[in-house]
Amino acid sequence: MVDMDAFAKPGKPYYLALGMEGSANKLGVGVIKHHLGPLDENNRAEILANVRSTYNAPPGQGFLPRDTARHHRNWVVRLVEKALKDSGVKVSDLDCLCFTQGPGMGAPLQSVVVAARTLSQLWELPLVGVNHCIGHIEMGREITGARNPVVLYVSGGNTQVIAYSRQRYRIFGETLDIAIGNCLDRFARTLHIPNDPSPGYNIEQLARKGKHLVELPYTVKGMDLSMSGILEYVDGLAHDLFSGKKSKYLYDEEDGERITVEDLCFSLQENLFSMLVEITERAMAHVDSNQVLIVGGVGCNERLQEMMGIMAGDRNGSIYATDERFCIDNGIMIAHAGLLAYRVGYGNELEDTVCRQKFRTDEVYVKWRDD
Amino acid sequence: MRDQIVDDLQLRIPTVPLRLISQGAEALIFMTNQHPYLPAGVNPCDVDNPGKYIIKYRPPKPYRHPKLDKRITATRTSSEAKLLHKLYQLGVKAPKLIAIDAPNGLIWMEFLGYQLPDMRYSSLKNWLWLLERESDRDHPVALADNVKDCCNGIGRSIGVLHLHGIVHGDLTTSNIVLTDEATLKPSLIDFGLSSYSGLPEDRAVDLYVLERALKSTHPVYAEKYWEWILDGYHDVHEEDGKRGRKKYSETISRFKEVRMRGRKRTMIG
Ligand SMILES: Nc1ncnc2c1ncn2[C@@H]1O[C@H](COP(=O)(O)OP(=O)(O)O)[C@@H](O)[C@H]1O
Ligand SMILES: [Mg+2]
């Protein structure tokens, strides 16, 4: 059993951490409280504040690093103030300041690190750099109570199947080219649908109205998958559809009706999600687990959750998922994972708070677990 | 749920005794003592384990769209069966195909493998895990010569496949089994994702997938295992002569590229 209280302040029965996230187009700040002792069903982390502001690019465009960083700089002070106010916590009562060190986009990451460094000096608080993916995993475990699940991490920039072993979250499968969120976002751009609240959400809504399944490439490679070819293919179909082509493949082979944009969204989702569920199932079989946890922005998708639930059920297992407060990038997960690390002695000196765009999940030594 | 699936299958083949031995990545694996058309007690002469057969069943996957599901199940079942037959013709060690029922997603094949000292099945994964548990600094039994020979053999098998224009598509330590306790002769299994391809990219991804499976499943000794597998892989290409050497260097340089791609990929959000 890991001693989670070797660094506790004498006489203080709890810990408080503030977390700041800004690795992509969301800026989030959260405040979390842990009581002494290992976390379990009877000793849960308490969420005292969790606020967020999202930068949305205009329809047809992706968010650019510079604009996103500007958004984060504009909002960071206000969000920190709001989070502190919501939590009712005094700065002097905080134990540490946690920030996303990577992976992510350079400029937005940096704008948040600068804010974190400033606050740390102003408030004389230690800094804890957090791996964004570890943030998602630890928060997902805490919220759902899943102890040792296979984790499907699906977001704008990541598609990974992860399982814990020997104090690391190890990557069993991942995309060989683009990430699932990126694939959906880019297709949304092709369709010129709005980026608000998120491109993926809008595709999900359209997909619900689709009824014809269009055949798309299905490209699973063991526990890995490839998506760029599928995107290219479905993009091509969309262009042909918009330009009014009358080709045979633009009509359903059973009822002869013309394929719609909704059908394309539906087919893309069905195809990609089947691949995701399949590689997750492969990993579950390989490591002998029957729990699955979905984290990351795309994890909010209800169809994906439904499909994963059916698969887990067929393996006599269960699925754990969270809602948009925790799935979508947020500050609380950074506070939580950072605090776990702080409690076992992690901390970053000012000079090693440089952010890392390609910080891999399996680089982190998970000292707070020893199962 | 799982029991339901098993009952449904048993109803469809009521005269065949079925014992569920494993739930793989996509299939249910049953053991039976009955050959599909030979009388009881009579067995083909060229199987490792007379009287022991595997029935691999790909049940419908209710999570995916029925149209997609049918397409995937049918293609995988028939392509796996075809490949098993092809490997038999090529003399590559693999379970021998006995019968196939593609519409029902069933393949009947030879049973390979044995029981390890810890009572588990002799997949490469279970064997290595066992050795890794028994290893310590002074006696790293997981790095002994027999492991090296076995890894060489695996590399050779993969090499032979690639030389014949076949990619396995799902190389993990679960999909490699030891067939004989004395010789530790390895065999590849699970050809559902296999295909014919002449592209260096596909062969490179085949290797990449296995390398990562090793790193994640056997983190402590993965590097050594991988080195030995590549040695065997290299040797069969070398023995093939000029054509093999060319193919080898194409595959390996592509493999390095695939690895780099993984490291360079941006990860946003
Ligand atoms: N021919 C065989 N002989 C003995 N065991 C087998 C055989 N084929 C499969 N198995 C067992 O069943 C497991 C799953 O089989 P596999 O063909 O890999 O199916 P899946 O595609 O579901 O992974 C294997 O890991 C192995 O333990
Ligand atoms: Mg398998």
Side-chain angles (χ1 to χ4, degrees), chain B residues 155-171:
Chain B
R156 298 185 72 93
S157 303
I158 300 169
V160 172
L161 245 59
H162 286 183
L163 280 169
H164 284 97
I166 299 165
V167 290
H168 182 280
D170 189 13
L171 289 171

Side-chain angles (χ1 to χ4, degrees), chain B residues 128 173 210-219 222 225-226 229:
Chain B
L128 291 178
T173 49
L210 177 59
E211 185 193 29
R212 225 240 316 296
L214 282 171
K215 280 187 180 162
S216 50
T217 320
H218 310 277
Y225 301 155
W226 182 239
I229 290 175

Side-chain angles (χ1 to χ4, degrees), chain A residues 104 155-157 166 170-171 174-175 177 213 215-216 222 224 278 281-282 286 307 314-316 358, chain B residues 1-2 23-25 61-63 67 71 76 125 169-170 174 212 217 219-220 263-265 267-269:
Chain A
S155 67
R166 294 177 183 238
R170 300 186 192 271
I171 301 167
E174 76 184 312
T175 176
D177 39 56
L213 188 84
E215 188 168 328
L216 300 176
D224 289 343
E278 176 167 359
E281 182 166 21
R282 284 177 184 281
H286 188 61
M307 289 166 76
D314 280 353
R315 299 190 76 86
N316 292 346
K358 288 174 188 118
Chain B
M1 269 315 276
R2 182 156 56 195
Q23 183 167 21
K61 295 280 186 191
Y63 69 78
K67 207 168 138 189
R71 192 181 112 204
R76 291 208 181 143
K125 177 181 73 180
D170 189 13
S174 295
R212 225 240 316 296
T217 320
V220 181
R263 295 214 184 99
K264 279 202 203 126
R265 194 178 37 245
M267 301 186 279
I268 298 150

Side-chain angles (χ1 to χ4, degrees), chain B residues 11-85:
Chain B
L11 276 177
R12 271 188 280 156
I13 40 175
T15 57
V16 180
L18 291 176
R19 186 159 63 83
L20 181 66
I21 59 165
S22 151
Q23 183 167 21
E26 58 168 342
L28 294 170
I29 306 294
F30 298 91
M31 171 107 87
T32 182
N33 56 9
Q34 195 171 314
H35 190 279
Y37 45 83
L38 293 176
V42 181
N43 296 296
C45 58
D46 58 350
V47 293
D48 275 18
N49 299 281
K52 264 179 156 181
Y53 303 102
I54 287 290
I55 295 180
K56 177 167 179 173
Y57 174 46
R58 289 186 168 81
K61 295 280 186 191
Y63 69 78
R64 61 192 173 205
H65 192 287
K67 207 168 138 189
L68 182 60
D69 185 54
K70 280 215 184 70
R71 192 181 112 204
I72 294 175
T73 305
T75 45
R76 291 208 181 143
T77 308
S78 65
S79 84
E80 176 161 30
K82 278 184 210 147
L83 249 139
L84 289 177
H85 182 60

